[in-house]
Amino acid sequence: FEPKLSEAWHLDEQAIKSKGEKKWVWNVLDENTRFLIANNVTDSRYIGDAREVLKKAKQVTKTKPEFIVTDGLWSYEKAISSEYPSNNPKSNNSTKHVRLETFETKPNNNIIERFHGTFRERDKVMRGFKGNESGISSSFRTYYNFIRPHSGISNLTPAQASDINLNLERNRWLSLLKQSLTMS
């Protein structure tokens, strides 16, 4: 399914602990639909790590955003310009990087920071990760996008808000699993 997304995406990373070691979960979230486009787990926060999650986002959607909003991490600047190059930076077809210096900067990255809070709630219940962070973060992406309604988008799931309507029954997990079996 290809979600219909807005022109603005938010990109951010958050630290997690896995087997006592610090890892980084990178997330790309659509501004209007709250659709979690892509996520990735890495050991560091370098340009290549930021590029990896953007490459995954490009696999999910064929459209490119007009804006990508990030915090002040310098890895984002090179990663965005590498993954969404433009011969003419003033062109309307180029992706613009909106780099926020502080939390108070407008526009802000509160949408993805709120997502990090939701992810952190799950992390607390699990009492940290035990070594399969990639599998857990991709499973969480499925839950977040297709199962969990969001009050910020009229109690729709991000999938519904981005025009992916699977007509899931009351038990959304079971319904989603049944549908996935018939589609494969």
Side-chain angles (χ1 to χ4, degrees):
F1 302 105
E2 188 175 336
K4 291 188 175 123
L5 304 173
S6 69
E7 68 282 347
W9 296 357
H10 293 258
L11 169 61
D12 199 19
E13 82 292 343
Q14 75 180 111
I16 61 167
K17 288 278 188 181
S18 175
K19 294 183 178 179
E21 294 183 30
K22 186 185 272 190
K23 302 258 184 189
W24 299 94
V25 178
W26 299 77
N27 300 295
V28 181
L29 194 74
D30 181 62
E31 183 170 281
N32 291 347
T33 65
R34 308 300 200 271
F35 194 87
L36 181 58
I37 304 164
N39 57 354
N40 196 36
V41 180
T42 64
D43 293 328
S44 60
R45 297 189 311 162
Y46 298 120
I47 296 165
D49 302 313
R51 286 187 71 180
E52 277 183 53
V53 75
L54 289 171
K55 286 177 185 176
K56 287 184 175 191
K58 286 164 65 173
Q59 291 173 352
V60 172
T61 179
K62 305 300 179 244
T63 60
K64 70 180 199 173
E66 187 175 335
F67 302 97
I68 296 180
V69 181
T70 71
D71 61 19
L73 183 68
W74 285 101
S75 300
Y76 293 128
E77 190 169 330
K78 284 264 193 203
I80 292 168
S81 64
S82 295
E83 292 305 317
Y84 295 99
S86 172
N87 295 336
N88 181 358
K90 294 181 182 173
S91 163
N92 289 339
N93 198 20
S94 66
T95 297
K96 294 161 187 67
H97 177 206
V98 179
R99 185 173 179 267
L100 308 175
E101 297 293 330
T102 67
F103 285 116
E104 292 83 27
T105 305
K106 298 288 182 190
N108 58 45
N109 226 5
N110 289 353
I111 289 170
I112 201 157
E113 295 297 345
R114 177 63 190 104
F115 168 78
H116 288 323
T118 302
F119 188 83
R120 183 76 59 219
E121 290 168 14
R122 180 70 183 138
D123 179 29
K124 282 182 184 177
V125 169
M126 294 175 60
R127 296 185 181 164
F129 294 97
K130 312 293 188 268
N132 185 16
E133 307 83 20
S134 294
I136 291 168
S137 66
S138 65
S139 297
F140 187 79
R141 187 174 66 242
T142 301
Y143 165 75
Y144 184 84
N145 284 336
F146 294 94
I147 304 299
R148 182 182 178 272
H150 299 260
S151 60
I153 50 175
S154 304
N155 284 324
L156 297 173
T157 65
Q160 291 169 322
S162 61
D163 283 345
I164 300 173
N165 196 347
L166 301 177
N167 297 316
L168 299 178
E169 298 167 8
R170 187 161 192 237
N171 185 335
R172 292 176 190 232
W173 267 122
L174 182 60
S175 184
L176 186 64
L177 288 169
K178 285 179 182 178
Q179 285 189 37
S180 70
L181 290 173
T182 61
M183 291 177 181
S184 38

